[in-house]
Amino acid sequence: MKRLDNMSEQKRNELGVFFHMMYELNKGLRNLALLTTTIENFEIIKERLEKCNYSYIIEKLKSGYINIFFGKTESIAVLKRFKKNSLKDFTPEEDFILGVLLGYNVEQQCKRYIERKVS
């Protein structure tokens, strides 16, 4: 954990969120997680994901940050089948499935789907 001593508070907070998501994955509370973080945090995150045998996908953002989708192999396999480079490219149906996989409120996902489908 010495690596954490020299990190900024923001980076430590992002890693704290990551470790909480890992806890939820390990306890079966979720099958998929999404974390937006800096590329500098990725090595620590990658080590832990590989140690725990979780699959992951990285999406590089224009802001210099990255989105890391991680979790059960089946959930990651669904995302890979969408073959999209960005969340912006998701169809309303893909967006709905992603929200459900991430454990978002299903009623809110239904409303979001309807709004996106009408637009």
Side-chain angles (χ1 to χ4, degrees):
M1 281 297 195
K2 282 192 173 187
R3 283 194 254 183
L4 298 179
D5 294 340
N6 297 328
M7 288 188 171
S8 71
E9 185 175 344
Q10 177 186 353
K11 288 180 184 179
R12 281 194 305 272
N13 289 340
E14 289 171 6
L15 288 174
V17 171
F18 167 73
F19 287 117
H20 180 76
M21 290 174 162
M22 288 291 292
Y23 171 83
E24 290 180 344
L25 282 167
N26 291 333
K27 293 294 181 186
L29 298 174
R30 64 170 66 230
N31 293 321
L32 182 69
L34 166 60
L35 178 69
T36 302
T37 188
T38 60
I39 194 74
E40 292 84 14
N41 284 339
F42 180 63
E43 280 305 313
I44 294 170
I45 290 169
K46 178 182 171 187
E47 282 178 25
R48 181 57 60 105
L49 290 173
E50 290 176 354
K51 180 179 177 183
C52 295
N53 293 316
Y54 286 119
S55 299
Y56 61 90
I57 298 173
I58 300 169
E59 174 190 7
K60 293 183 181 180
L61 305 174
K62 291 180 183 176
S63 64
Y65 281 78
I66 57 173
N67 280 337
I68 305 173
F69 296 91
F70 58 97
K72 304 289 183 180
T73 302
E74 297 80 9
S75 297
I76 295 296
V78 169
L79 294 182
K80 286 181 178 179
R81 290 190 196 278
F82 291 163
K83 296 181 181 173
K84 304 291 169 119
N85 293 324
S86 172
L87 290 172
K88 297 181 296 188
D89 299 331
F90 277 37
T91 67
E93 291 80 9
E94 292 165 338
D95 180 79
F96 178 83
I97 292 168
L98 175 61
V100 171
L101 288 174
L102 288 168
Y104 296 169
N105 179 285
V106 174
E107 183 180 353
Q108 290 177 349
Q109 284 305 113
C110 289
K111 289 177 183 175
R112 179 178 167 88
Y113 171 76
I114 291 167
E115 288 172 6
R116 288 192 71 201
K117 198 64 178 177
V118 171
S119 301

